[in-house]
Amino acid sequence: MQSSRQHISILGAGESGTGAALLAAAKGYAVFVSDMGSIDAERKSLFQAKNIRFEEGKHSEEEILSSTEIIKSPGIPETVPIIKKALERNIPVIDELEFGFRYTKAKIIAITGTNGKTTTTLLIAHLLKQNGIKAALAGNIGKSFAAQVLENTADWYVVEVSSFQIDGMLHFRPNIGVLLNITPDHLDRYDYKMEGYINSKLKLFANMNMKDTIIFNGEDPVIMNGRNRFPKNAMKVNFAMQHTANITINGDYFSYDLGAQKGSIPLANLLLKGQHNAMNAMAAIGAVAAAGVSAEQIAEHLSTFVGAKHRLEYIAEVAGVKYINDSKATNTNAVEFALDAFTTPLIWIAGGIDKGNDYATLRTLAKKHVKQLICLGKDNSKLVDAFEDLLPVNSFDNMEAAVTAASKVAESGDTVLLSPACSSFDLFKNYEHRGDAFRLAVQGLAENELNVKRHD
């Protein structure tokens, strides 16, 4: 039990901050929660019930800088004044995952990478749970890791980890670490230098030892250039389409050889489309095999996994046109996967807040697959400039209008794909809100079609 004199300030009262506050209070810390925005009524009541002090709409500098430690939301950059002052005073500033790690003896599978994290994390958790293992989702998905550590009901945590969360880690150590890919993203948080983003990703594995396993993409040039920075004594397993990889595809089967664990699994058991999902599946197969799940068990339950919401998620078919929600694709690399996953002609909905994207990387795929680009955002000028010489482009500032326009262009057999390549915050709260708005708009189309048929 920590001394009550130790004072923790928690910046941000979202899911991670609330979980950290509950765990810190249970461990005897004096806890102060500070949020520059508003705190919802339910969380306020929870803090009051646990005698946790809180404030909203400001950061009280004197209070926060008197802390022995600060836990900050991953969304708060280190450049904000209160964090800069804390670091200048040598006050440790950590992430909720780092704090929760202190208080659990459960095993951890941590998944990071620029793209594919959510699908891979969900698939790993699915394969563990379906085979009777007490596994819980945490990190960027599911409930707060710290809150679940307090509940202490899981034997394994499957944790989706962003670079922002890794930046707040000191001693966090996964038993199994997965690195899917590294392509440019979030460079605004790293002084627009790719090396800073790469360093962040690789830091996840820094504390791993000979008992631990690192699973990494053997086809990613950035990872391959940085693999000599993995801990020397951790077991290293690569996945790739190349047959020399530890986990690969041979004919109609996924095959893997991790030394003590070997097996093959029918490719047909994977329901998800696209080569990128085959790569995600290889990473997941490696992780659960390293955790002790047999090939037979993996094969049985791979076929029952239907994928993540907002990631190439099938919504409906209206008038012979399929509508796909890929709202989580917030960078160009994720959109490359999406555009290349379909053989049908595409009406592509994209846009939002540009993240410094180079849209030229998408021109070849757009020319090959896309009939029309529909831009959705407050400022679509960069997207329009990138594609208007290549294909028809229209712009809208609301989802319903964008989806309606797409439906008028689309013909039976086409696919309307929401794959934005941008952040959502100009028009929506987050990518989930954007994806949900797309779903509602498509449902509206389906209802209209049904009403027309009724009156025919």
Side-chain angles (χ1 to χ4, degrees):
M1 177 76 70
Q2 296 288 337
S3 165
S4 60
R5 289 174 298 183
Q6 287 192 286
H7 175 197
I8 279 189
S9 285
I10 295 170
L11 305 187
E15 179 68 22
S16 66
T18 300
L22 294 175
L23 179 60
K27 296 301 177 182
Y29 289 89
V31 183
F32 179 66
V33 178
S34 176
D35 197 310
M36 281 295 287
S38 59
I39 302 175
D40 68 51
E42 185 177 348
R43 286 187 171 133
K44 286 180 185 176
S45 296
L46 186 59
F47 294 151
Q48 289 165 345
K50 300 293 182 181
N51 294 316
I52 295 170
R53 295 183 304 120
F54 63 89
E55 67 176 1
E56 58 184 337
K58 61 179 179 177
H59 287 324
S60 294
E61 193 171 291
E62 185 177 348
E63 174 82 29
I64 293 165
L65 296 179
S66 70
S67 306
T68 51
E69 196 166 37
I70 294 171
I71 302 171
K72 76 171 181 66
S73 163
I76 301 173
E78 291 186 354
T79 53
V80 302
I82 192 70
I83 299 298
K84 289 175 73 174
K85 289 179 181 178
L87 294 173
E88 286 167 2
R89 297 185 187 196
N90 294 316
I91 302 170
V93 180
I94 64 170
D95 186 78
E96 171 240 357
L97 297 179
E98 171 72 17
F99 184 65
F101 178 74
R102 297 176 187 173
Y103 298 103
T104 183
K105 294 181 180 178
K107 293 186 176 181
I108 294 170
I109 301 175
I111 301 94
T112 197
T114 308
N115 297 299
K117 294 188 295 295
T118 298
T119 297
T120 307
T121 301
L122 288 170
L123 178 53
I124 291 169
H126 172 81
L127 292 172
L128 293 178
K129 288 177 180 178
Q130 293 301 310
N131 287 295
I133 295 170
K134 290 181 181 177
L137 287 162
N140 274 352
I141 190 169
K143 289 175 60 179
S144 156
F145 177 62
Q148 294 185 84
V149 165
L150 181 57
E151 293 169 1
N152 193 28
T153 58
D155 295 327
W156 284 85
Y157 289 105
V158 186
V159 187
E160 179 187 325
V161 187
S162 72
S163 57
F164 301 161
Q165 290 165 315
I166 298 169
D167 291 339
M169 291 178 177
L170 299 171
H171 305 290
F172 185 90
R173 181 189 135 233
N175 301 89
I176 300 168
V178 178
L179 182 54
L180 297 169
N181 42 62
I182 304 178
T183 58
D185 198 18
H186 301 302
L187 297 188
D188 53 327
R189 283 281 285 261
Y190 299 97
D191 296 324
Y192 294 94
K193 294 175 182 175
M194 185 65 178
E195 190 59 28
Y197 181 58
I198 294 168
N199 291 341
S200 177
K201 291 298 188 190
L202 294 176
K203 183 184 170 187
L204 176 65
F205 310 95
N207 298 317
M208 296 176 71
N209 61 36
M210 62 186 299
K211 297 178 182 178
D212 305 324
T213 302
I214 299 171
I215 297 168
F216 64 97
N217 185 339
E219 292 182 1
D220 187 298
V222 177
I223 294 174
M224 294 306 285
N225 286 335
R227 71 188 187 281
N228 61 341
R229 291 156 62 183
F230 290 143
K232 288 184 171 55
N233 55 356
M235 182 178 179
K236 298 165 195 70
V237 174
N238 68 338
F239 62 92
M241 293 294 180
Q242 305 152 8
H243 295 337
T244 53
N246 302 107
I247 310 163
T248 188
I249 293 175
N250 279 316
D252 295 329
Y253 290 85
F254 292 107
S255 65
Y256 63 91
D257 184 348
L258 312 188
Q261 297 91 10
K262 300 175 183 173
S264 62
I265 294 153
L267 268 173
N269 286 25
L270 179 66
L271 303 181
L272 305 182
K273 285 186 175 185
Q275 181 175 312
H276 65 292
N277 276 320
M279 295 290 281
N280 293 339
M282 283 192 270
I285 288 166
V288 296
V293 181
S294 71
E296 293 76 17
Q297 290 172 315
I298 295 171
E300 180 183 356
H301 295 292
L302 187 63
S303 62
T304 60
F305 181 72
V306 294
K309 288 182 71 174
H310 309 292
R311 193 70 185 96
L312 290 175
E313 176 191 10
Y314 173 81
I315 299 299
E317 183 173 321
V318 183
V321 177
K322 290 184 172 64
Y323 290 79
I324 305 295
N325 169 24
D326 196 37
S327 183
K328 200 173 190 296
T330 59
N331 58 61
T332 53
N333 191 244
V335 175
E336 281 183 46
F337 290 143
L339 294 180
D340 206 29
F342 296 92
T343 56
T344 58
L346 297 175
I347 292 83
W348 172 30
I349 302 175
I353 296 178
D354 180 76
K355 299 164 74 176
N357 290 326
D358 179 8
Y359 296 113
T361 61
L362 299 174
R363 282 175 60 86
T364 300
L365 284 170
K367 186 175 181 179
K368 180 180 178 182
H369 295 293
V370 178
K371 289 173 61 172
Q372 182 157 332
L373 170 61
I374 294 177
C375 299
L376 174 66
K378 287 186 176 179
D379 180 4
N380 300 314
S381 56
K382 191 174 176 183
L383 268 171
V384 172
D385 291 345
F387 294 100
E388 65 180 347
D389 67 321
L390 199 66
L391 46 89
V393 179
N394 283 324
S395 291
F396 299 92
D397 62 3
N398 72 87
M399 182 65 79
E400 188 173 358
V403 170
T404 299
S407 71
K408 290 178 179 177
V409 175
E411 300 173 299
S412 181
D414 291 352
T415 298
V416 174
L417 171 68
L418 170 68
S419 193
C422 298
S423 294
S424 57
F425 303 117
D426 57 340
L427 298 176
F428 306 97
K429 295 176 185 175
N430 47 44
Y431 76 83
E432 294 100 331
H433 183 207
R434 177 170 60 193
D436 290 340
F438 178 74
R439 182 184 293 104
L440 284 172
V442 173
Q443 287 170 349
L445 290 179
E447 288 169 7
N448 289 340
E449 184 192 34
L450 188 60
N451 289 333
V452 168
K453 286 180 177 179
R454 283 172 178 163
H455 289 92
D456 282 349

